[in-house]
Amino acid sequence: MTGRVITITSGKGGVGKTTATANLGVALAQLGHKVVTIDADVGLRNLDLVMGLENRIVYDLVDVIEGRCKLRQAMIRDKRLEGLYLLPAAQTRDKTAVSPSDMVLICDELRSESDYILIDSPAGIERGFRNAIAPADEVIILTNPEVSSVRDSDRIIGLLEADEKAAPSLIVNRIKPEMVEKGEMLAIGDVLDVLMIKLIGIVPEDEQVLISTNRGLPAALANGSQAGQAFRNIARRIGGEEVPFLSLERERGLRGWLKRAVGSR
Amino acid sequence: MMGLLERLFRRGKVNSRQIAKDRLQMVLIHDRSDLSPGMLDMIRDEIIALIGERVPINREGVVFTLEQDGRESRLVADIPLAPRKR
């Protein structure tokens, strides 16, 4: 196996990186892949809680780096889903306990025994972000249809360009179609016009995400949630499948957005 | 009926979606080029002064814009020359 390392990042905090990482991990594992999610937010770990694995942590990322355990010992297997593992962050240390080359080494070791390694990047553009993108083969930028989030995403795109990383792809998270239709929220096409990167997913605002996070069961685990379906679609696109985007509005509307995105200057 | 009334009231008022997009496009031009609006004004004044020393220009007609070409920005100066006085 030569696993692909995919980092999920956003610049701005609170746009849904951790939720997206948990759900994409679940969705990729549901497709039969072996997936390791890594929480790179050292000092503010949360991926364990969102995935519902917080009670199973013995060792963490920093224990591995500092040689207190083997990588395999720190990986928590999700008992609900075959093939899904979590490498948790340390909670009582800070970002300087990890270096970009530590992350590269760990991911190189994981690559040989997994299909996907998903890294949940911390917010910001400092050390934690650098750690998260250092081993990435691909970067997914998560943005909300909101000015500050889009601006921060643009900054991240610029930093990735300067780093000569492959062009990132974009997930627009927490879109409210009814607000877009009223002209009171940026549409997908608007965000694409501004950021000019490839779209890989559209996730609608969905109360089920909070409810499932409360329970520690990522929304993608169960049917019946629009956001969960959106993440399952993204997982298939990551695997190279052509999956039509969710029609959040009338088909015409969504196509209209995408057309405007392509047609405008 | 509601929809019609709403549309009537909204007419002439630019919606916040468009405002957000326009503001983003403006701010990102400056972010990407690391050129603040104030700095752009300074450069503009210096260029006008420099060219104005050599050749008469129509200062009112000068237009400076930052244009976008994909993810790259381009500084465009349009400097009309003043008609030659005989």
Side-chain angles (χ1 to χ4, degrees), chain B residues 8-82:
Chain B
L8 280 173
F9 278 115
R10 271 172 208 278
R11 207 157 53 178
K13 188 175 124 195
V14 181
N15 63 42
S16 73
R17 168 186 162 187
Q18 191 58 47
I19 294 170
K21 185 177 181 183
D22 294 345
R23 289 178 60 224
L24 262 173
Q25 280 177 324
M26 282 311 294
V27 79
L28 288 182
I29 287 175
H30 293 290
D31 283 2
R32 287 169 187 168
S33 57
D34 197 17
L35 193 58
S36 65
M39 182 64 74
L40 187 60
D41 284 345
M42 266 175 58
I43 293 174
R44 183 195 128 105
D45 293 345
E46 285 170 13
I47 290 179
I48 291 174
L50 183 72
I51 295 176
E53 269 174 34
R54 304 279 178 180
V55 58
I57 59 178
N58 172 9
R59 284 167 196 255
E60 271 76 72
V62 172
V63 182
F64 262 70
T65 47
L66 268 171
E67 288 182 359
Q68 252 187 293
D69 185 7
R71 291 190 51 84
E72 285 176 8
S73 310
R74 187 182 303 271
L75 177 60
V76 179
D78 181 356
I79 304 172
L81 301 180

Side-chain angles (χ1 to χ4, degrees), chain A residues 88-257:
Chain A
Q91 178 69 331
T92 54
R93 301 291 294 272
D94 64 51
K95 268 73 176 170
T96 58
V98 181
S99 74
S101 57
D102 292 332
M103 293 296 287
V104 170
L105 283 173
I106 286 178
C107 288
D108 282 347
E109 197 176 333
L110 289 173
R111 251 186 254 270
S112 60
E113 48 187 287
S114 41
D115 299 304
Y116 292 99
I117 298 123
L118 301 182
I119 302 178
D120 180 18
S121 163
I125 54 175
E126 296 84 19
R127 179 70 167 265
F129 164 74
R130 292 285 163 198
N131 289 340
I133 62 160
D137 299 313
E138 292 154 54
V139 176
I140 293 179
I141 295 181
L142 194 74
T143 200
N144 291 351
E146 181 249 315
V147 288
S148 52
S149 175
V150 175
R151 184 190 199 176
D152 288 1
S153 297
D154 191 78
R155 182 91 173 94
I156 297 290
I157 296 168
L159 290 172
L160 293 170
E161 269 173 7
D163 236 37
E164 296 180 351
K165 287 272 176 195
S169 44
L170 182 74
I171 296 176
V172 180
N173 193 27
R174 310 191 73 169
I175 195 154
K176 295 182 180 177
E178 55 306 337
M179 282 193 77
V180 175
E181 260 190 275
K182 280 190 210 145
E184 304 296 4
M185 180 179 266
L186 289 166
I188 304 295
D190 298 332
V191 179
L192 294 177
D193 274 353
V194 170
L195 295 180
M196 312 234 187
I197 57 172
K198 186 184 66 185
L199 183 68
I200 195 169
I202 303 168
V203 184
E205 175 75 67
D206 182 352
E207 285 183 0
Q208 286 303 318
V209 171
L210 177 64
I211 295 170
S212 59
T213 304
N214 287 344
R215 299 183 193 281
L217 297 164
L221 270 176
N223 289 321
S225 134
Q226 257 201 320
Q229 181 61 49
F231 283 117
R232 285 196 294 272
N233 289 351
I234 296 168
R236 288 166 59 198
R237 289 187 200 109
I238 289 173
E241 262 184 81
E242 292 262 344
V243 185
F245 288 97
L246 285 182
S247 53
L248 301 176
E249 289 189 306
R250 295 179 298 275
E251 183 78 341
R252 177 173 62 83
L254 184 62
R255 242 182 238 163
W257 294 347

